[in-house]
Amino acid sequence: GAVVSQHPSWVICKSGTSVKIECRSLDFQATTMFWYRQFPKQSLMLMATSNEGSKATYEQGVEKDKFLINHASLTLSTLTVTSAHPEDSSFYICSARDIAGGPLEQYFGPGTRLTVT
Amino acid sequence: AQTVTQSQPEMSVQEAETVTLSCTYDTSENNYYLFWYKQPPSRQMILVIRQEAYKQQNATENRFSVNFQKAAKSFSLKISDSQLGDTAMYFCAPGRGSQGNLIFGKGTKLSVKP
């Protein structure tokens, strides 16, 4: 149980275009989902926290107009990178908390590798 | 701001031996959780073990155990009987706030050698 999927697993897009990444909780309902960014050989950096039906809370320094997050249902959150630039190339990971509770444990998706050319 | 320090960027251990990864953190909260995650080459984050700060007893999960020193804000991970499959990046992550936002340390790259 507690499986989180991400789609796509790898995407290449051209500079100036937008790309959407989906995060789904497959076998549980998630009130809260998180989006992280990970550069090569570095740690995970929390970008934003999203709660179902409300606006996402962005971490300091993260551009909310560039990284659009939508959490429209208890099983789906999306991250849209708008007007992508090569510096947006990174590994994006989502995680989700089970609505049923538990010790604040987060279940992670397998990640999406974004390459902007 | 909450900070997490993992002072060992890389470590190696022989198969079947024991290794301890260190982590210190800073927090102003009293009730919180702490986690160790591993990230193998597949990059899938996997929960290794968790500790509730209000519990004095150290958490244990099979070959993995922690040494939690709340006053010192220290949370080390001990891996016993190391296996080749333990080779991965290990991240210490305290939970923050009511939603449990995780703040990750920079990680320790562990290599288990045959």
Side-chain angles (χ1 to χ4, degrees), chain B residues 36-100:
Chain B
W36 276 97
Y37 282 89
K38 67 181 279 189
Q39 188 179 41
S42 68
R43 304 192 77 170
Q44 171 72 58
M45 295 292 286
I46 301 167
L47 176 67
V48 175
I49 197 166
R50 61 173 170 259
Q51 172 78 42
E52 293 142 276
Y54 64 86
K55 287 189 176 180
Q56 291 186 335
Q57 186 173 7
N58 289 323
T60 299
E61 194 73 39
N62 299 317
R63 297 182 295 108
F64 301 89
S65 61
V66 299
N67 182 0
F68 174 49
Q69 303 289 329
K70 188 174 183 180
K73 296 179 181 175
S74 171
F75 183 58
S76 62
L77 173 70
K78 185 171 82 171
I79 305 174
S80 304
D81 186 25
S82 297
Q83 300 177 359
L84 297 178
D86 295 334
T87 293
M89 282 291 289
Y90 285 80
F91 294 100
C92 172
R96 178 192 78 189
S98 61
Q99 296 197 98

Side-chain angles (χ1 to χ4, degrees), chain B residues 96-112:
Chain B
R96 178 192 78 189
S98 61
Q99 296 197 98
N101 294 5
L102 296 178
I103 305 299
F104 286 88
K106 291 187 175 182
T108 295
K109 183 179 180 181
L110 177 67
S111 299
V112 180

Side-chain angles (χ1 to χ4, degrees), chain A residues 32 34 36 38 42-44 46 49 51 59 91 93 97 103-106 108-110 113, chain B residues 33 35 37 39 42-45 47 50 52 91 96-102 104-106:
Chain A
T32 306
F34 304 86
Y36 297 86
Q38 186 179 31
Q42 293 190 24
S43 187
L44 281 72
L46 178 65
T49 303
N51 290 293
E59 294 296 302
F91 193 66
I93 305 174
R97 281 189 57 207
L104 304 181
E105 182 175 334
Q106 295 181 25
F108 285 82
R113 183 184 303 277
Chain B
Y33 293 84
F35 302 88
Y37 282 89
Q39 188 179 41
S42 68
R43 304 192 77 170
Q44 171 72 58
M45 295 292 286
L47 176 67
R50 61 173 170 259
E52 293 142 276
F91 294 100
R96 178 192 78 189
S98 61
Q99 296 197 98
N101 294 5
L102 296 178
F104 286 88
K106 291 187 175 182

Side-chain angles (χ1 to χ4, degrees), chain A residues 14-35:
Chain A
K14 291 187 177 181
S15 186
T17 63
S18 296
V19 60
K20 179 185 287 187
I21 302 170
E22 293 186 348
C23 176
R24 293 182 184 272
S25 57
L26 299 185
D27 51 2
F28 66 97
Q29 292 182 316
T31 46
T32 306
M33 288 186 170
F34 304 86
W35 286 95

Side-chain angles (χ1 to χ4, degrees), chain A residues 34-89:
Chain A
F34 304 86
W35 286 95
Y36 297 86
R37 184 173 182 176
Q38 186 179 31
F39 289 106
K41 298 185 179 181
Q42 293 190 24
S43 187
L44 281 72
M45 182 193 77
L46 178 65
M47 298 175 66
T49 303
S50 72
N51 290 293
E52 184 264 338
S54 60
K55 290 183 178 181
T57 301
Y58 291 81
E59 294 296 302
Q60 192 172 10
V62 177
E63 299 176 62
K64 59 182 66 178
D65 293 331
K66 181 167 188 61
F67 298 99
L68 301 179
I69 292 171
N70 183 277
H71 192 163
S73 77
L74 286 173
T75 60
L76 173 65
S77 177
T78 59
L79 167 67
T80 301
V81 183
T82 62
S83 187
H85 290 285
E87 55 264 32
D88 297 326
S89 298

